[in-house]
Amino acid sequence: MNKKTIITALLALVWVTGQAQERVMAFEPVDSVDFTIEGTVTESADSVSLSVIDYHPDWQKSFPVKNGHFSIKARLPEYAYVSLKDMPKTTSSISFMIDESPINVNLPNGTVTGSELNNKLNQYEHLQWVLDKENVAVGKRLSSEQRDSIMALFNHQIDVPETGMVKEAWLKYQEIRKSEKENLQRAIYDNLDNMIPAFYLFTNYMDFNYEELCELMREDRPYANHYKMENAWNFFLDLKLHHEDMKFNDCEVVDAEGTVHRLSEFVGKGNYVLVDFWASWCAPCIASMPKMEELIQKFEPQGLMMFGVSIDENEGAWKAACERLGYSWLKFRSNQTKGKLSVKEAFGVNAVPLSVLIAPDGTIIAQNLGTWDWDKKLAEIFSE
């Protein structure tokens, strides 16, 4: 790995339920490089905008275009992930990494040439560029009503029609999504010896299961301390506390009357238990609750127990939300008492919604499937 490390990571040791967990506390770019970018744009462009994605402080600058060409000279952290687009009306954009090798960009064709790293990265980015164009082209052929039907299909609200334009578009979208997923997999697994995986794990880390992340999230990987890896590391370290095939971590929760309970009063007692972690301020959590109510009404007679655990720090807001929503499952809040193990610590719940299915013996068997997939998963379990 290049000795010009662009990140320094402060590692802290956090002890949870008797186990030590390394948590990355900070990622700070420290080394910068001078770079040049030359390129061509469409005839309608009068400038290009270069921005660093998720770099703090935010960095974005515009550069003039003359006769369809532009030239950029600047300084940024090495291996910063940047996006370049034409202005004022964006017709094309492309992403790449900053390094010391001169970079050439053809925006109309979605191609980048430069260092070996950027040449390799552009293989995947150019394919994504092509797939994005296909997505847009499919959408342009649809009426507004047909686009609404496509959205309803994505949300599992309707079935795929047997014939017609909506079915054709839906099948094309599925084909594109499959190609995108395959492209992502190749981009990551073909480049474990360089910085490219950081480019993709940044937004796609939740697409991998725990075993896959154990292979990808290793400290000896060249990309391990890239500044874009912070969210992926936090997710992975949290996942160590609630991944499939592990026993649940016990902790204290509080009901509306202030009575303290332990999860072990309900979990590992011979029933399948679906635990829904949520918060009163979480819009996606609230939106999913009608479907969760359907699940408990459907599967409770077959032996499913379900309860919600809020991570609200404001007790009043939690109680008001419970009263307003009025759903039938048990409702608890993470015990906020100082010195007590909270749900956040025991399960690594730092983002909601999060739903975890626990087997009768207390083993976690599934999580974060989404309400539609929970229905299929539970149907499989209770049909056995």
Side-chain angles (χ1 to χ4, degrees):
M1 179 179 175
N2 191 322
K3 290 184 178 179
K4 284 188 173 182
T5 306
I6 65 166
I7 306 295
T8 57
L10 176 63
L11 298 178
L13 203 59
V14 180
W15 290 87
V16 179
T17 63
Q19 295 180 336
Q21 174 182 226
E22 287 185 339
R23 176 168 299 282
V24 179
M25 301 301 292
F27 291 78
E28 295 295 338
V30 293
D31 288 338
S32 296
V33 295
D34 296 312
F35 65 91
T36 61
I37 304 174
E38 304 282 341
T40 56
V41 296
T42 59
E43 292 181 0
S44 61
D46 57 24
S47 64
V48 293
S49 175
L50 184 70
S51 58
V52 182
I53 300 173
D54 284 329
Y55 169 63
H56 301 287
D58 293 337
W59 192 98
Q60 181 176 343
K61 290 186 179 181
S62 295
F63 300 87
V65 168
K66 186 175 182 180
N67 298 323
H69 295 271
F70 65 90
S71 179
I72 297 172
K73 291 185 178 180
R75 185 175 179 83
L76 280 171
E78 191 175 17
Y79 304 123
Y81 173 14
V82 300
S83 177
L84 183 74
K85 59 184 178 182
D86 53 1
M87 301 295 284
K89 183 179 179 180
T90 300
T91 60
S92 187
S93 64
I94 195 72
S95 299
F96 48 94
M97 282 184 175
I98 293 299
D99 56 26
E100 293 180 290
S101 298
I103 300 167
N104 188 276
V105 178
N106 185 319
L107 269 176
N109 293 335
T111 56
V112 176
T113 55
S115 65
E116 180 181 353
L117 182 69
N118 267 318
N119 291 342
K120 187 177 290 188
L121 175 60
N122 189 244
Q123 297 174 24
Y124 314 105
E125 281 301 288
H126 184 262
L127 176 55
Q128 184 59 54
W129 182 87
V130 171
L131 294 172
D132 287 343
K133 297 288 186 184
E134 290 183 17
N135 256 321
V136 172
V138 173
K140 285 183 176 180
R141 295 196 295 267
L142 300 174
S143 66
S144 59
E145 292 81 6
Q146 289 170 334
R147 285 194 289 270
D148 289 342
S149 295
I150 292 293
M151 288 303 299
L153 283 169
F154 276 116
N155 292 325
H156 307 290
Q157 295 171 334
I158 62 173
D159 294 325
V160 180
E162 294 184 2
T163 59
M165 187 63 181
V166 170
K167 180 180 180 178
E168 291 178 16
W170 175 253
L171 293 177
K172 183 61 178 178
Y173 279 130
Q174 296 309 303
E175 179 185 323
I176 292 171
R177 292 177 77 184
K178 180 181 178 182
S179 296
E180 289 176 332
K181 185 173 181 179
E182 291 172 348
N183 186 46
L184 169 70
Q185 295 278 335
R186 286 194 299 271
I188 292 175
Y189 284 106
D190 291 351
N191 293 282
L192 297 178
D193 61 347
N194 61 52
M195 297 296 251
I196 288 176
F199 199 93
Y200 295 101
L201 284 171
F202 162 64
T203 53
N204 298 282
Y205 53 85
M206 293 184 70
D207 292 341
F208 298 90
N209 63 35
Y210 179 69
E211 288 185 2
E212 291 169 331
L213 287 174
C214 284
E215 176 65 16
L216 297 174
M217 305 297 293
R218 283 174 27 188
E219 292 183 32
D220 60 346
R221 298 296 190 196
Y223 55 85
N225 287 337
H226 190 282
Y227 76 95
K228 292 181 69 63
M229 291 293 293
E230 183 173 9
N231 289 340
W233 273 112
N234 286 338
F235 176 80
F236 175 60
L237 294 171
D238 288 341
L239 193 59
K240 285 186 173 183
L241 299 175
H242 58 78
H243 65 80
E244 287 87 347
D245 300 324
M246 74 171 286
K247 293 287 186 178
F248 79 99
N249 287 319
D250 200 9
C251 60
E252 291 186 352
V253 293
V254 183
D255 63 22
E257 285 71 41
T259 303
V260 176
H261 301 269
R262 298 193 68 82
L263 291 186
S264 54
E265 294 177 34
F266 312 95
V267 177
K269 301 297 185 182
N271 281 57
Y272 284 94
V273 180
L274 182 59
V275 186
D276 182 44
F277 299 101
W278 68 289
S280 63
W281 40 260
C282 170
C285 301
I286 306 302
S288 70
M289 285 187 175
K291 183 62 180 180
M292 301 300 279
E293 177 71 10
E294 289 180 24
L295 292 178
I296 191 62
Q297 295 296 334
K298 182 176 181 179
F299 294 105
E300 187 177 37
Q302 301 179 57
L304 178 68
M305 175 181 287
M306 176 178 156
F307 55 86
V309 178
S310 168
I311 64 170
D312 275 286
E313 294 185 2
N314 185 318
E315 181 181 4
W318 167 64
K319 286 185 176 181
C322 289
E323 185 174 344
R324 182 178 74 253
L325 297 168
Y327 294 119
S328 62
W329 57 80
L330 292 172
K331 304 174 184 68
F332 299 109
R333 188 170 69 98
S334 177
N335 191 357
Q336 307 295 330
T337 305
K338 187 175 181 180
K340 298 293 184 180
L341 187 66
S342 71
V343 164
K344 289 185 178 182
E345 295 166 330
F347 277 82
V349 182
N350 287 302
V352 288
L354 168 67
S355 296
V356 177
L357 180 64
I358 305 174
D361 66 353
T363 302
I364 295 172
I365 56 174
Q367 59 186 315
N368 265 4
L369 295 184
T371 51
W372 181 267
D373 291 321
W374 275 130
D375 203 333
K376 293 191 294 183
K377 180 69 174 179
L378 292 168
E380 290 172 6
I381 288 173
F382 289 110
S383 66
E384 294 176 354

